[in-house]
Amino acid sequence: MAYNNCRTKEKSMMREKIENRAMEILQQHGLFSLPIDPVKLANKEGIKVHNAAFSDESVSGMVARRGQNITMLVNQSDPPYRKRFSIAHELGHHFLHLTEDGEIVTKKIDLFRVYIKPEDEENEEKRRDVEANQFAAALLMPESLVKEIYKKTESLTEMAQLFNVSEEAMGIRLEVLRLI
Amino acid sequence: MPQSILDTFSQFKGQVEEIGSAVTSDDIDTYRQIREIEDKSYKLKIVLDAWKAQKKEERKWRNIYAGVLLGFLFIQIVVVNVSFFLIGAGKLKVEEWVANTFIIAVFGEVASMTLVIVRYLFPKTGEEFPKIIEGL
């Protein structure tokens, strides 16, 4: 029981850290206004973002780092909302995990998972994906802005339009922030 | 496919089939796309409403013109028929050439008025409206 409480607290602290990091990055680049533009952020970071066709259709994106050369690929057949989220997700990997040369591939099925299942806690890859998702959500839907706008309108559709995200992503965000 | 990008993803050669164009902010701005569609549909609605109002007004005036012209034609026909029978019955006496000219003139008048009604009051439906829509 005490172990579980400790893990929950740890996870919540990690989420808070990611929220703050995303906020800092947005403010640093002067992009803290709606709708958040992840392509602009990527370009300001010197990251090239390209459309790509993958042999495995379940791949939504990948990011690779070779020294100062960082490139992101997103699935060209994905709709704009999904691409936005994929780019924000890959930015999460860039800021949180890709500190040295390497590459990360993201599958569609992992895109909206914001909590790690107990059985996956030791799985490094899944943990990184969950963190990147938390970062993407925090980047595209900053907590302070979501809370501020939620006071004015409780319409999920309107909020999704304002933040330029899918209603599904906005719904999950409101739930994570305990607004619904 | 840019070589530098290919090199970066050399490890994923099997997975990356093709590298396309750079993603721009506009490509992923769904809100702007929705707004553009809404703007276009709003403009289309305004044009359509104006078009409908104009057509309604035109139809109203065409009906009035057609009614007046047909009324005149009816009077002319009644006059020419009555005159014809009166002349035939010997109750109205006019020169033969006057009667012939009068009947031919009325016939000409009827034909030209019919032409005016058909040609100008009921014009062919053109491609005006599709052109306006294309211009939006």
Side-chain angles (χ1 to χ4, degrees):
Chain A
M1 188 71 172
Y3 172 77
N4 277 346
N5 280 345
C6 188
R7 293 291 292 166
T8 313
K9 206 173 167 188
E10 207 176 279
K11 277 189 242 171
S12 148
M13 270 172 71
M14 190 61 200
R15 196 182 69 78
E16 215 176 298
K17 238 171 136 178
I18 291 171
E19 294 274 351
N20 292 338
R21 184 82 201 278
M23 183 93 121
E24 265 172 37
I25 291 164
L26 285 174
Q27 278 166 345
Q28 231 172 49
H29 290 282
L31 293 172
F32 195 67
S33 64
L34 289 179
I36 307 290
D37 186 346
V39 174
K40 211 181 233 177
L41 176 60
N43 293 340
K44 281 192 170 194
E45 280 285 313
I47 303 170
K48 292 174 219 139
V49 186
H50 278 259
N51 284 302
F54 301 118
S55 53
D56 178 1
E57 261 305 301
S58 70
V59 172
S60 67
M62 45 177 79
V63 57
R65 178 185 200 125
R66 299 282 179 271
Q68 291 303 305
N69 193 4
I70 306 158
T71 310
M72 235 178 236
L73 298 180
V74 287
N75 196 326
Q76 62 186 19
S77 57
D78 278 350
Y81 281 145
R82 184 56 74 90
K83 274 188 194 170
R84 262 173 71 80
F85 204 86
S86 297
I87 295 166
H89 176 99
E90 301 308 336
L91 278 170
H93 284 311
H94 162 70
F95 285 112
L96 305 173
H97 312 121
L98 265 184
T99 45
E100 50 193 51
D101 282 7
E103 53 283 311
I104 294 173
V105 178
T106 306
K107 300 230 171 178
K108 282 177 193 176
I109 197 152
D110 301 324
L111 267 186
F112 290 111
R113 197 190 299 147
V114 282
Y115 296 114
I116 194 152
K117 293 177 194 161
E119 66 266 27
D120 290 335
E121 270 176 9
E122 303 308 317
N123 187 328
E124 177 69 11
E125 202 181 313
K126 291 206 166 148
R127 188 188 55 77
R128 282 193 318 196
D129 265 334
V130 166
E131 285 175 4
N133 282 343
Q134 288 173 345
F135 181 88
L139 189 81
L140 297 177
M141 299 163 276
E143 187 174 354
S144 56
L145 290 179
V146 171
K147 285 183 173 167
E148 192 185 314
I149 290 169
Y150 190 73
K151 277 182 203 159
K152 293 176 196 159
T153 173
E154 289 190 3
S155 155
L156 187 67
T157 312
E158 214 173 297
M159 287 193 72
Q161 272 197 6
L162 273 175
F163 285 86
N164 211 340
V165 295
S166 66
E167 287 184 20
E168 187 187 4
M170 183 47 82
I172 294 171
R173 185 67 174 149
L174 292 177
E175 197 192 332
V176 168
L177 296 176
R178 298 186 194 285
L179 293 171
I180 51 171
Chain B
M1 196 186 299
Q3 192 57 40
S4 63
I5 299 174
L6 258 183
D7 292 344
T8 313
F9 288 95
S10 55
Q11 234 179 304
F12 295 99
K13 259 182 186 162
Q15 285 191 52
V16 182
E17 283 182 344
E18 192 193 338
I19 295 177
S21 57
V23 179
T24 65
S25 300
D26 283 349
D27 293 342
I28 54 161
D29 192 350
T30 315
Y31 182 47
R32 182 188 56 81
Q33 289 167 8
I34 291 172
R35 217 170 36 214
E36 271 177 13
I37 293 167
E38 280 173 356
D39 283 355
K40 205 170 176 181
S41 116
Y42 178 70
K43 278 186 200 163
L44 187 64
K45 194 183 168 303
I46 289 187
V47 169
L48 197 63
D49 286 348
W51 177 265
K52 263 159 71 180
Q54 190 189 340
K55 285 280 154 195
K56 201 175 163 187
E57 192 69 7
E58 273 179 22
R59 232 183 343 261
K60 188 180 113 188
W61 282 105
R62 275 184 198 152
N63 281 341
I64 293 170
Y65 284 133
V68 170
L69 288 175
L70 286 172
F72 277 128
L73 280 185
F74 181 74
I75 294 166
Q76 289 278 35
I77 290 166
V78 169
V79 168
V80 86
N81 278 316
V82 169
S83 308
F84 179 77
F85 284 111
L86 288 177
I87 293 166
K91 298 212 168 172
L92 188 68
K93 285 193 171 48
V94 287
E95 294 284 332
E96 193 184 334
W97 67 270
V98 174
N100 285 341
T101 312
F102 177 64
I103 290 167
I104 290 166
V106 169
F107 177 76
E109 207 176 331
V110 169
S112 54
M113 276 196 180
T114 309
L115 187 74
V116 167
I117 290 171
V118 171
R119 195 158 173 185
Y120 297 106
L121 291 184
F122 301 98
K124 279 183 193 169
T125 46
E127 290 173 352
E128 212 177 325
F129 192 60
K131 273 183 186 165
I132 293 173
I133 295 174
E134 272 173 30
L136 284 178

